[in-house]
Each structure stands twice: as structure tokens, then as C-alpha cells.
Amino acid sequence: MSYSSKPFIFKLFQLTALTLALTLAGCGSDGVDSLPPPFNPGSGSEPGAPVRNTNISAVNITDSLGQPTRVITSSGSTASVKVTDGKGEPISGALVTFGTDAAITSVLFGNTNGTVLTNADGIATMTLKAVGTSDSGSYSLSATATYDGVDATTPAYFFSVQSANLIFDEVRLEQNRLPYGGSTDITGLVKNSATMHAQKDVEVSFAATCGTVSSAATNVLGFRATYNAGTCEGSQTIVATIEESGANIRLPVTIDQRTALGALSLKCISGDTPSFPDSSADGSGADGCANEVLLGVVGSTLPSVRSVEFVVSKDDKPFANERVKVELLSAPNDFGIGSARNQQPLTLNTDNAGRIKVPLYAGNATADNIKLRATLISRVDVTAIFENIGVVSSVSTQSGFTVTPTKNVLAATETTTSTAGVTTITRLNDSTTLNVIARDGNNEFVNGSTINFIAEGGTLSSNFCVVNNGRCQVTLSTSGILPDDRRVTVLSYTTGTGVQQEINGNGIFLDEDENGIADANEFKLPSITGVIFRQFVVGFADTTPTFSPSFDDLTENRKGTMQLPFKMYGANPQDSKKISMPSGTQVQVRAFDKTSGDNANCTAQITSKGLIGSILTVPMLVDLSTPDGRNMLGNNQDDSDKSYVIRAQQCSAGNEIKLTVITPSPNSKTTVKTIDIIK
């Protein structure tokens, strides 16, 4: 939710005025003020003075029964104002923005930005709801109406936050006796004990002596959650708790002893193409599927979406309607299961053939060590692992190989020292393993086949590796030559299999400047047949980040909600192809009060590529737009691995936000940048 950045009337009050207002608010039989005449302090008039063009009434807050109130609870209240013209006629379609000095952890508006339009009667309404029980303070609310270029702002309306006395009603288990591995639904209502009205948007949490329960949120019809017994047996207890009030209720459940379900097995059976044979994995968890499933990066010649299948059986007969949890054990950050980029576990039900089908979605990163695990929810000791899943940039239909670095941006900071007139340049030592998977059609390369390597910079542990069981590897380190653009092109190739592959008639060459042209000074293979090759880039980055815009002496004069986008590079060459910080670098953000040292009400998070949190990590495989296969020319880079946004809320003068960047061991370095909030 975004709170209004427009100035609140309460900012104009000194402490004495605020105290007087609160004192006046307590007067009268019901503690609620009557509405004063329309006014517009924002137009330059004194408070209470009529406005010729746009007028706005004072804020009025009513409870769920429509009665005026100065107390907001989780049951919700409604704030309203009326906007009129100079003749007192209602204005329809005026933009009204509500704002409060309460933290979003205390009070929530009914929409994300607190802004609505007036209706035909000139009325604008906004719902407010107390959040949690830890806050019982007093705050102010105001509203600003904008119409035809004229603003009108209300005075502050003071209110208190209180927790409603919430209780459970009609809570029950649909089944209180379950078979082994069974599940049942929990239903019920949450009501306000004073009005006995059912409440919505109330969080209900659950705990069980054994088994798991999903959390739930209420609506006016109640809540529903599911209890899964898993491997539990005997008498168990489920405890439901209303998060806001702490009220709880205990529900007993009995689970039958383990039966013939012990004969259930789970196997990974196939990929989605006929060339992948069935696996003999027995579901014990000790054996993985032997099937190979290859996906292509988005836009490559191979499909970027494929599926794998698992089957649940009992005594070799398919077992339908069995719940199976599927989760990724290892994969690139942009790889997804079930949907693109999703890396959260899935729960799927077997069909009548005992099968589940798991869609796989490749991104832009290549990998050869993707692992997928399926587990029976009713028997968590029964698992199967599909571990021979890879993502490649392209592959020949006759033969080919892939090369996947363990990481593709290395730490390579240089330092220069001078002693007695002798200048010494030293560089951080970092390395990556280049893993090769080689195949000839559906078969592995013959043992003893050689994969050759040539690198523009750095040092290779060897200029070739020998294939054994379809795999081999070499290491690239940061010692040696450091290219000006910090992008090290690596060419790998083999001869004697497949067919000649040429690019734009230029043959196969080490494209150091990535222009797709075999320049005179670049290594070029002789024009021979039977060559398969791969070409890619490894970045050599500094351990000190370069920011755009710069964070030097940065201050922010915005209070409340703030978004600060920036890019972070690991090198800043004149060339436009900047690289990220080293793979595995942590990016942390924290807000705190400069005086007390705590974070007060100010909170901050950082987001990148759809992820959000207080700590993010640079991916192990960053998009470097590497030329590969038939396409030697890299496309325009996707800067998403270098793009970030700091999001801060409820920050005010005296707060500051610290951005901390930590490169990984063994070349760990910490860089801290500070953003001061000055208004």
C-alpha cells in the first residue's frame, strides 16, 4: 500500500495544538465532533474560510454499524468527505487522496494508494482497518480533493487504534478420524464478540502435534484450511489461533495405524519425447531417474518447455488420487516448475494411471545439474529424484556438446603497488569450472574424445579435456590477461564428429570483440570439416561496485513511501557491455534511526528480477548475452541481473537507509552506501 506523499495538516500543528485538538476531541457525550463547514487551507485561505471553486468537508469516520467513531479496529471503519463547488453543489469525479501518519503495520487503507473519486453526490469514501494488536496509539487522518486544478485539504481527524475482541465460532473438523496419510478440512467463523458479526480478512494460524495445516484468512462466510496427517499415527491435537486476538481452540483428531500403504512406491518414468527411455528408479530415494531431459534456453532451437512424469503404484498397480509434493533441489534462478520462473514446491494429485506430469520451463541460463524431487505426502519417506535435466543454448541433431560454468562472473580486482621504482600489479585469484556434457545423437561421446579450449584472457588449467562417460571439465582462473572490457571470450571445439558449422561464411574463430567478424588478430580454425564448437563469455569483475546513479552524498527529501531504482555493475568500461558484480555477491538493505540505532517505523527492502527481501544474491549464472552455436553475435544484454529497486516505507527525517554489498569468499569485500532522509 502506498500512503499519500501530500503534506498532512497535522504537520502544521505544534505539540500544543495537537494536545488541544485531542482534548477537544474528548468533549461531548459521544466524543465525536460534528462536521465543520467546508474549507480549503491548501488554496491560501485560512482554515474554515469558504472556497470559491472547490470545497471539502471535514473527515468523518463511521464504524461497521454506520455510527461515528474515533476508534479503528480490525473490524474496519469507513472515512468519508464531501466535495462541493462555490455554490455548495456536489462535485462528481473529484480526485480525493486520504493520508495518515499511522504506519502501514498499524492501519491499512482499502486500496493501494488511498485515492478515490467522488460519486454523483460528491462523496468520497475510504475503508480503514487496524492491523495486528501491538499498536494502540493515536494518529491523524486528512484528505485532499483535487478538481479543475484546485486543491482543498481537510484538517486532521484524530483517531485511536484498538484491537477488536475476536472469537471463534462454529469451528469443526470435517472428519475427526482419518486413515493413515489422510487429510481433512477445518472450517469455522471468526466473530467480533461485541457485535457477533462475522469478520473478514482475519489471519488464522494452526499448529499440530503431528502433521501440517495450511494457514487461512477469513471472509464473511468463514475460513477453510486443510490438515494433512502425513506419517502421523494415533491421537493428535490441532490448535487454531486468531493472530490478532490470540484466541485459540483445540481440535482432537485420531489417525489410524500404518497399513498396507507401506507398499506404495514412487518412480520417475519418462520425459516428454519418445527418445527418453523409462527409468528403473524404485522410489526408495537412493536411485535417481536415468532419463535425460534437455531444454533449450528461450529462443533457441530446442524447446524451452518440456515435462517429466512420475508414477505412484501399489503392488505394481497405478494408485490414483495420491498427493505428491514436487520441489527443485538445484536449478538456475530463472528455471521454473509448473510455470515460468516458479521455484516454489508444487502439490499434484495422481490421475487414474497413477501419474503426475510436471512442466519444466527454461529461462536464459544454461545448466547441467538440475534436480527435481517428488515425495509422497502420505509417506514422506517415499521419494524419487529426477536429476539428469539440462538447459543448453543449442545442440546439433547429429552430435554436440554443452559447456556450463559453475559461475560466469569472477572476482578479478587489480591492485598496483610501487616499491623503489618497481611497479607491481596483483589480482584477486578466482576461478570457475567449465563442465562439458558431450553426446553423439542419443549416445555419449566415445571415451577419449577431446574437447579443446581457447580463452581470450585469464588462465585455463588445460587447453583440452578428455571425455569420459560423456563428461569432462577444465578450470578458468582470473590470473593472466585481463581484457579492457572485462569480458573473456572462451571458444571450445572438437573435431571428427558431426558436420562443419560456419557463421556468415567466416568460419569458426575466437570472437574477442563480439562483432561476429573474424578480425585479423583473432584466432581462427582452419577451414576443415567435422567441427563442433561452443563459444561463451566469462566476466572478470571488481569487488568494488559501480552504481548508476552514484550513491555518493545521496539524500532523499521524500517522507513516507519511496522507490529508488539503480543499477550495480562490477566494472565500468567505456564499452557499453558492462558486467555485473561477481556471482554470489550479496546485496543487503536496512533502514534505521540515526539517533537511537533502531529501525523505528522506517522499513526498507530491495527487489530485482521479481524477487524481494532484505537480502538478494547475484545469480551464479548471469546473463552476459554470450555468442554461441550458430549465432556468434550476442543480442542486446538483459540488464535485469544488474537492476535493483530500493523500496522504503514510513521513513522520515533522522532515518537513513544503508545499502551493503558483500562479495563472496575467498575475495570477500564489504561496501556500504548510505541514503539520508532529510525531510
Side-chain angles (χ1 to χ4, degrees):
M1 179 185 64
S2 174
Y3 278 40
S4 171
S5 60
K6 293 190 176 183
F8 300 138
I9 293 301
F10 64 83
K11 294 181 183 177
L12 305 176
F13 292 175
Q14 298 297 322
L15 179 60
T16 54
L18 176 60
T19 304
L20 177 60
L22 288 171
T23 303
L24 293 175
C27 298
S29 60
D30 59 0
V32 179
D33 299 334
S34 60
L35 298 181
F39 63 94
N40 181 10
S43 68
S45 304
E46 292 297 320
V51 181
R52 283 178 292 176
N53 296 320
T54 304
N55 302 318
I56 186 170
S57 71
V59 174
N60 185 37
I61 299 181
T62 57
D63 60 19
S64 59
L65 299 178
Q67 299 300 311
T69 183
R70 287 190 180 271
V71 176
I72 293 178
T73 71
S74 61
S75 300
S77 301
T78 301
S80 63
V81 294
K82 183 172 183 177
V83 181
T84 57
D85 60 19
K87 297 181 180 180
E89 296 296 325
I91 297 177
S92 174
L95 184 70
V96 177
T97 302
F98 291 85
T100 179
D101 58 344
I104 61 174
T105 54
S106 298
V107 175
L108 285 175
F109 285 158
N111 61 22
T112 56
N113 61 6
T115 302
V116 292
L117 296 176
T118 55
N119 61 18
D121 297 322
I123 303 296
T125 61
M126 176 62 60
T127 59
L128 301 94
K129 177 184 175 183
V131 182
T133 58
S134 59
D135 192 346
S136 59
S138 295
Y139 302 99
S140 59
L141 176 73
S142 66
T144 297
T146 302
Y147 187 77
D148 199 20
V150 178
D151 290 348
T153 303
T154 70
Y157 185 99
F158 299 99
F159 64 89
S160 297
V161 176
Q162 294 182 10
S163 60
N165 185 18
L166 303 180
I167 60 173
F168 280 117
D169 191 26
E170 300 180 25
V171 180
R172 68 184 185 90
L173 287 169
E174 291 194 354
Q175 293 177 279
N176 56 19
R177 188 176 189 91
L178 300 175
Y180 178 82
S183 63
T184 186
D185 284 346
I186 307 169
T187 58
L189 295 167
V190 173
K191 293 184 176 180
N192 186 321
S193 63
T195 64
M196 291 308 291
H197 291 164
Q199 305 297 296
K200 63 179 181 178
D201 300 325
V202 177
E203 292 294 328
V204 180
S205 62
F206 299 87
T209 53
C210 185
T212 60
V213 191
S214 60
S215 60
T218 64
N219 56 38
V220 293
L221 300 178
F223 64 86
R224 179 180 294 271
T226 301
Y227 169 70
N228 291 298
T231 57
C232 307
E233 300 176 68
S235 299
Q236 308 297 337
T237 301
I238 304 167
V239 180
T241 302
I242 302 172
E243 288 293 298
E244 184 171 332
S245 68
N248 61 71
I249 189 170
R250 302 170 68 86
L251 305 167
V253 60
T254 301
I255 302 145
D256 293 342
Q257 303 296 311
R258 187 175 308 206
T259 62
L261 279 179
L264 279 178
S265 66
L266 174 64
K267 297 180 181 180
C268 34
I269 54 173
S270 71
D272 63 354
T273 65
S275 62
F276 300 140
D278 285 353
S279 166
S280 59
D282 63 5
S284 66
D287 296 330
C289 280
N291 310 345
E292 179 186 61
V293 176
L294 273 183
L295 295 87
V297 297
V298 174
S300 69
T301 57
L302 284 177
S304 60
V305 180
R306 277 188 164 164
S307 299
V308 295
E309 295 183 2
F310 295 85
V311 64
V312 178
S313 59
K314 179 180 178 183
D315 300 327
D316 294 326
K317 295 180 180 179
F319 199 82
N321 300 316
E322 182 68 15
R323 290 160 59 84
V324 182
K325 177 183 178 181
V326 182
E327 56 191 329
L328 281 172
L329 300 182
S330 63
N333 289 345
D334 60 356
F335 189 87
I337 57 173
S339 60
R341 303 181 73 90
N342 173 63
Q343 299 201 339
Q344 297 301 311
L346 305 175
T347 299
L348 304 173
N349 288 354
T350 57
D351 60 18
N352 290 335
R355 298 192 181 198
I356 60 168
K357 189 172 185 177
V358 185
L360 309 177
Y361 292 81
N364 294 308
T366 59
D368 65 350
N369 59 346
I370 299 173
K371 294 183 180 180
L372 194 70
R373 179 172 63 194
T375 304
L376 294 185
I377 290 180
S378 63
R379 283 287 308 274
V380 295
D381 56 323
V382 179
T383 65
I385 296 177
F386 217 131
E387 59 183 353
N388 201 4
I389 302 172
V391 178
V392 297
S393 54
S394 64
V395 63
S396 168
T397 56
Q398 293 189 3
S399 61
F401 65 94
T402 62
V403 183
T404 305
T406 52
K407 58 182 179 179
N408 68 346
V409 181
L410 309 181
T413 297
E414 283 189 341
T415 58
T416 303
T417 58
S418 181
T419 305
V422 178
T423 300
T424 304
I425 299 177
T426 57
R427 185 181 308 152
L428 293 178
N429 187 22
D430 198 0
S431 62
T432 182
T433 300
L434 309 179
N435 294 296
V436 177
I437 300 179
R439 60 187 58 79
D440 186 1
N442 292 325
N443 303 312
E444 297 170 348
F445 268 26
V446 176
N447 287 345
S449 300
T450 299
I451 309 295
N452 303 285
F453 288 87
I454 298 175
E456 175 189 3
T459 299
L460 291 164
S461 60
S462 174
N463 289 110
F464 67 92
C465 67
V466 178
V467 174
N468 182 31
N469 294 326
R471 298 172 185 263
C472 66
Q473 59 184 218
V474 299
T475 299
L476 175 68
S477 68
T478 55
S479 61
I481 298 174
L482 179 67
D484 290 338
D485 64 0
R486 301 298 190 95
R487 292 168 62 88
V488 175
T489 303
V490 180
L491 173 66
S492 56
Y493 65 93
T494 186
T495 60
T497 58
V499 295
Q500 170 76 15
Q501 296 185 32
E502 291 195 358
I503 289 76
N504 299 327
N506 291 317
I508 298 171
F509 57 96
L510 184 67
D511 192 12
E512 297 182 16
D513 57 6
E514 303 173 49
N515 65 355
I517 300 174
D519 300 310
N521 61 336
E522 292 177 335
F523 169 84
K524 184 175 182 180
L525 282 178
S527 181
I528 57 177
T529 59
V531 178
I532 303 296
F533 75 97
R534 294 289 172 263
Q535 189 160 198
F536 54 94
V537 170
V538 175
F540 281 16
D542 292 329
T543 53
T544 300
T546 298
F547 296 102
S548 178
S550 170
F551 278 89
D552 296 337
D553 301 321
L554 182 63
T555 58
E556 285 291 323
N557 60 6
R558 289 175 289 178
K559 178 180 179 180
T561 300
M562 178 184 72
Q563 291 200 122
L564 181 64
F566 68 94
K567 292 183 179 180
M568 182 178 69
Y569 302 105
N572 188 24
Q574 293 181 354
D575 185 272
S576 63
K577 295 179 180 178
K578 298 168 182 156
I579 60 175
S580 76
M581 287 295 287
S583 301
T585 296
Q586 281 193 347
V587 188
Q588 306 177 5
V589 66
R590 181 190 174 201
F592 65 98
D593 189 283
K594 293 167 63 176
T595 303
S596 64
D598 60 27
N599 63 2
N601 291 325
C602 183
T603 60
Q605 291 181 309
I606 190 166
T607 178
S608 178
K609 296 182 69 173
L611 303 175
I612 187 169
S614 59
I615 301 176
L616 296 181
T617 302
V618 175
M620 299 306 288
L621 296 176
V622 175
D623 176 21
L624 294 177
S625 295
T626 60
D628 190 14
R630 298 177 177 84
N631 180 17
M632 293 285 285
L633 289 173
N635 297 321
N636 293 331
Q637 284 191 91
D638 176 4
D639 259 2
S640 60
D641 285 315
K642 311 174 209 64
S643 300
Y644 300 86
V645 177
I646 294 175
R647 294 178 177 175
Q649 294 177 323
Q650 297 301 312
C651 297
S652 57
N655 295 146
E656 67 180 15
I657 299 169
K658 285 190 180 294
L659 175 69
T660 303
V661 180
I662 305 173
T663 54
S665 298
N667 301 315
S668 181
K669 180 178 180 179
T670 300
T671 302
V672 180
K673 294 291 183 179
T674 301
I675 305 168
D676 289 311
I677 309 298
I678 62 174
K679 182 177 178 182

